[in-house]
Amino acid sequence: MRLSVVLSIIAVWGFALVNDSGLGKLFYTEEKMNWLIVICSIYLWGIRKRTFIPKMRIDIVLCFLLFFIFIPYFISNGWDGATYLISFLTIFCFSNINISSRELTVSSLVIGFLGIGLITVYQKTGILSGWNDNSIAMLTLFSYIYFSIFFNSVKGYYARLLCLIVSLVYYIMILGTESRGAALFMSLSILLMLTKNYTWEMLKKNKVRFLVIHFPLIIAVMTVWISEQSWFPELDRLYQIEHTKPIFNGRDRIWGNVFNQMMEYPFGVGEFNVNHHNSAIACIGVFGIIGYIIWCNFFQRQLSKMSEHLYDSIVYACMCAFIVIFIQQSTELGFIRPCPNMMPYMILGLGLGRVRWYEEHEKIYE
């Protein structure tokens, strides 16, 4: 087992914990993390001559540079797009790791118990009292989803029983937060674990993967449409009497404003000046509709490549974990921003690392 692989995974979790905190601002952890990723990428690309998998054509690279860096800089005089694209370098770095079953087991257990420790400390002590409740819930959810990779790849009866017990503990703890979405998507993650035989076949279909990639946009369009119906204000009023906050909690207005501004800002506003609570809307609002198409195409190609190797339990587990987070970002934030939570990008990279290993060895035996 390579200790460096396990420590790298734990480091990503640690950065996700502190980056948005006062401690992170004090020690500039976002900037340090970004430089580590950039240096690692330069080493892999410049010295070891590694490439993305699937390999990115030069025209795609130029489109990313144009619509995610140069045009946003021209519009807003800022580098939000450039710092966001470092998340893609995270995929690149971790896709050069062929993680072993033992490394996956150890890192999954460590991250899983770190997540439980985090939510326990937050709920039972005042150490993290100044932290955002939703951020804690999201990192707890991402910790559990990474732990679920181990659940999806393990076959022993007692190991799966342990996973179910840990899942139950997680679910009870996360219900104590104010995040409705975290509990919902944890349930979805458990469902994917228990229906592997059916999910495995579904993920092979192009239409299913297309729906997954565009799911956040579909949710946004449906939400805005519902909020504009004549009967909605009364329904929303009744809901607020029971739950003290609106059904969509203001997301319908944010998403509607982005749709209304598409003609005025066809290339986006160039910076993350609003918490969009939806990855598709954030991409359209900041990088425009062309940027959104490029962004979707990138992830579509990644998932399509992984779908060719779903017979590998780790590839399957990583793909399921990434999909749960991607769908979860239909109503939450953290996936697309100047310095996003790198855990979903790391998970995608680890799955692609296994794919790279298979494809490189297939070429050897041809």
Side-chain angles (χ1 to χ4, degrees), residues 15 27 58 70 321:
F15 278 119
F27 290 100
I58 187 62
F70 295 122

Side-chain angles (χ1 to χ4, degrees), residues 1 24 26 94 99 164 169 176 193 216 234 246-247 268 294 297 353 366:
M1 184 184 76
L26 178 63
F94 280 93
I99 190 169
L164 286 172
V169 173
M193 295 177 193
E234 178 62 18
I247 293 177
I294 297 168
N297 176 260
E366 285 179 353

Side-chain angles (χ1 to χ4, degrees), residues 22-52:
L23 189 65
K25 304 302 180 185
L26 178 63
F27 290 100
Y28 302 98
T29 57
E30 288 185 359
E31 291 81 358
K32 291 176 180 177
M33 178 190 71
N34 288 343
W35 276 112
L36 283 173
I37 296 170
V38 169
I39 292 170
C40 181
S41 300
I42 292 173
Y43 167 74
L44 291 169
W45 176 74
I47 298 177
R48 296 191 58 191
K49 307 301 181 183
R50 310 294 280 179
T51 61
F52 269 93

Side-chain angles (χ1 to χ4, degrees), residues 202-271:
M202 289 181 61
L203 293 178
K204 291 182 178 180
K205 299 178 180 178
N206 290 329
K207 292 180 180 178
V208 172
R209 296 194 302 273
F210 181 86
L211 180 63
V212 167
I213 293 299
H214 293 283
F215 189 81
L217 180 61
I218 294 170
I219 290 296
V221 171
M222 291 178 59
T223 298
V224 172
W225 180 81
I226 290 173
S227 68
E228 292 177 347
Q229 301 308 300
S230 58
W231 45 264
F232 180 76
E234 178 62 18
L235 177 64
D236 193 44
R237 185 186 68 82
L238 295 174
Y239 182 88
Q240 290 188 54
I241 292 174
E242 181 69 23
H243 299 280
T244 69
K245 58 182 178 181
I247 293 177
F248 299 128
N249 207 19
R251 288 172 173 79
D252 52 326
R253 293 192 296 273
I254 295 173
W255 301 346
N257 289 337
V258 171
F259 288 136
N260 294 332
Q261 293 173 1
M262 285 175 59
M263 294 301 294
E264 184 179 357
Y265 299 99
F267 298 108
V269 297
E271 60 182 347

Side-chain angles (χ1 to χ4, degrees), residues 56-323:
M56 292 180 67
R57 303 192 312 267
I58 187 62
D59 58 324
I60 299 297
V61 174
L62 292 175
C63 283
F64 269 112
L65 293 175
L66 179 62
F67 290 98
F68 281 75
I69 297 180
F70 295 122
I71 290 179
Y73 179 78
F74 178 78
I75 294 172
S76 67
N77 198 35
W79 296 104
D80 283 5
T83 55
Y84 167 65
L85 286 185
I86 290 176
S87 61
F88 286 45
L89 296 181
T90 302
I91 298 173
F92 172 62
C93 290
F94 280 93
S95 71
N96 282 279
I97 297 173
N98 175 29
I99 190 169
S100 68
S101 297
R102 189 175 182 186
E103 290 161 353
L104 176 67
T105 298
V106 173
S107 61
S108 295
L109 291 173
V110 171
I111 296 298
F113 285 106
L114 281 174
I116 290 178
L118 172 66
I119 195 70
T120 301
V121 169
Y122 183 70
Q123 291 183 343
K124 305 299 183 182
T125 73
I127 297 176
L128 302 175
S129 58
W131 293 51
N132 181 271
D133 188 77
N134 194 61
S135 296
I136 295 294
M138 288 304 100
L139 183 54
T140 303
L141 174 64
F142 288 0
S143 301
Y144 174 76
I145 290 174
Y146 184 79
F147 172 78
S148 74
I149 299 175
F150 169 63
F151 196 152
N152 273 319
S153 61
V154 75
K155 296 180 180 179
Y157 172 78
Y158 290 106
R160 291 182 72 84
L161 179 62
L162 171 64
C163 291
L164 286 172
I165 293 172
V166 173
S167 299
L168 179 61
V169 173
Y170 257 104
Y171 191 77
I172 293 172
M173 296 297 289
I174 210 165
L175 283 177
T177 70
E178 295 297 323
S179 177
R180 297 171 291 179
L184 173 64
F185 287 100
M186 183 174 291
S187 301
L188 175 60
S189 183
I190 295 172
L191 180 64
L192 289 176
M193 295 177 193
L194 301 177
T195 59
K196 180 177 180 178
N197 293 336
Y198 302 100
T199 308
W200 188 78
E201 291 296 332
M202 289 181 61
L203 293 178
K204 291 182 178 180
K205 299 178 180 178
N206 290 329
K207 292 180 180 178
V208 172
R209 296 194 302 273
F210 181 86
L211 180 63
V212 167
I213 293 299
H214 293 283
F215 189 81
L217 180 61
I218 294 170
I219 290 296
V221 171
M222 291 178 59
T223 298
V224 172
W225 180 81
I226 290 173
S227 68
E228 292 177 347
Q229 301 308 300
S230 58
W231 45 264
F232 180 76
E234 178 62 18
L235 177 64
D236 193 44
R237 185 186 68 82
L238 295 174
Y239 182 88
Q240 290 188 54
I241 292 174
E242 181 69 23
H243 299 280
T244 69
K245 58 182 178 181
I247 293 177
F248 299 128
N249 207 19
R251 288 172 173 79
D252 52 326
R253 293 192 296 273
I254 295 173
W255 301 346
N257 289 337
V258 171
F259 288 136
N260 294 332
Q261 293 173 1
M262 285 175 59
M263 294 301 294
E264 184 179 357
Y265 299 99
F267 298 108
V269 297
E271 60 182 347
F272 293 91
N273 53 12
V274 176
N275 289 329
H276 294 90
H277 293 276
N278 180 292
S279 57
I281 295 299
C283 191
I284 293 171
V286 178
F287 305 116
I289 191 64
I290 298 178
Y292 172 73
I293 293 171
I294 297 168
W295 184 77
C296 287
N297 176 260
F298 175 84
F299 289 113
Q300 184 76 33
R301 293 176 70 245
Q302 306 284 307
L303 296 184
S304 294
K305 178 60 68 174
M306 293 177 74
S307 70
E308 299 172 6
H309 299 273
L310 289 178
Y311 53 81
D312 181 275
S313 60
I314 294 178
V315 175
Y316 168 80
C318 288
M319 188 169 176
C320 285
F322 178 79
I323 284 174

